[in-house]
Amino acid sequence: MARSISQAQLHFLEGNELDLIGEEQIKPVQLNDIADTLAYLAALYTEKLAESLNKADATSSGFLADSIIPLDVKVLGSVYTVEIQAATYAKFIDEGVDGWAKSRGSQYKFKSKGVDPNGEMVKSIKAWLLREGSFSKASDISVYRGKKISLTGRESRQKSITDATTKRAISTAYMIKRQGIKPTKFWSNTTKDMARVVEMELAKALKVDIINSIVE
């Protein structure tokens, strides 16, 4: 049986190298602008996350906002990635946490109802109370028989502040566990807002890289 022309062509290509005039090796497109754009988008994303967090009026959001930083762009073969780093509890602020007496519609829950006076939660709240200056105005004043008396002893003032702050921290921790943490959706909402921006910027960057590869 006669073999078709296409079969003969396939057989020739499988076992031979073509000797063609004007043959040019195809070069992979260098995605330099894509990499630069990813770095820009990560920085913009970080800025928008901080703004969204502040708008959500999350209590003591300063540390969390400062913890949100873009990492360097990574290239693995043809895959370009960039990550945003943030404090672990960002997901709890975003999605909220169910309290034992009130549901917040969250997948997260506190492990127990009780509050450990020496636990990390109380320590964290206590540090926040001192940092925010909740007791600073009363730090040099004590009340005795209805009269305000200035305390000059540094040790007495410090002990008074520490004791009051610890009690307040324990009480606050208890209420947080009882009522839960209201979701802010600061991360979720920012991600939705950034979706179209990312799509547009990456599309423009890809066009630039393609044009540059042709010109070169």
Side-chain angles (χ1 to χ4, degrees):
M1 179 185 291
R3 299 177 68 187
S4 68
I5 294 177
S6 61
Q7 289 175 322
Q9 290 172 333
L10 178 61
H11 176 73
F12 178 76
L13 291 173
E14 287 177 344
N16 298 273
E17 292 184 3
L18 295 180
D19 183 15
L20 300 176
I21 298 176
E23 178 184 3
E24 183 178 351
Q25 185 179 4
I26 298 176
K27 298 180 180 179
V29 176
Q30 297 297 318
L31 303 179
N32 296 324
D33 203 63
I34 284 285
D36 291 341
T37 300
L38 278 176
Y40 159 72
L41 288 171
L44 180 62
Y45 196 2
T46 300
E47 181 182 335
K48 296 296 184 183
L49 284 170
E51 290 177 359
S52 181
L53 183 61
N54 290 330
K55 287 181 181 178
D57 197 25
T59 301
S60 192
S61 60
F63 176 79
L64 178 55
D66 291 341
S67 77
I68 304 174
I69 58 174
L71 303 182
D72 293 335
V73 175
K74 295 181 180 179
V75 181
L76 183 59
S78 60
V79 179
Y80 288 63
T81 61
V82 64
E83 297 180 349
I84 304 294
Q85 177 178 283
T88 305
Y89 68 91
K91 57 188 175 183
F92 305 132
I93 299 298
D94 181 58
E95 297 188 34
V97 180
D98 282 351
W100 56 264
K102 185 172 184 177
S103 174
R104 296 292 185 174
S106 174
Q107 62 175 313
Y108 302 112
K109 294 177 175 60
F110 291 107
K111 293 180 180 179
S112 65
K113 295 182 180 180
V115 174
D116 180 2
N118 299 313
E120 291 302 317
M121 185 177 187
V122 171
K123 290 180 182 178
S124 177
I125 295 174
K126 184 177 178 179
W128 172 76
L129 289 171
L130 292 172
R131 185 172 66 251
E132 294 296 313
S134 298
F135 296 93
S136 61
K137 293 181 180 179
S139 60
D140 294 328
I141 297 175
S142 179
V143 176
Y144 178 70
R145 292 183 180 178
K147 297 181 179 180
K148 294 182 178 180
I149 303 174
S150 296
L151 298 178
T152 57
R154 180 177 179 182
E155 185 176 344
S156 297
R157 291 201 303 271
Q158 187 61 43
K159 186 177 185 303
S160 176
I161 295 170
T162 301
D163 290 346
T165 306
T166 299
K167 291 179 181 178
R168 177 73 177 275
I170 293 172
S171 175
T172 302
Y174 175 81
M175 290 305 298
I176 289 175
K177 282 196 169 186
R178 186 177 191 280
Q179 297 297 322
I181 299 174
K182 183 180 179 180
T184 63
K185 298 298 181 183
F186 83 98
W187 200 293
S188 306
N189 292 336
T190 302
T191 300
K192 291 178 182 177
D193 294 339
M194 282 292 296
R196 182 166 176 77
V197 177
V198 170
E199 183 180 352
M200 291 175 59
E201 292 297 329
L202 289 181
K204 289 190 291 186
L206 182 58
K207 288 181 180 178
V208 171
D209 281 331
I210 292 175
I211 292 173
N212 288 339
S213 67
I214 295 175
V215 173
E216 294 176 357

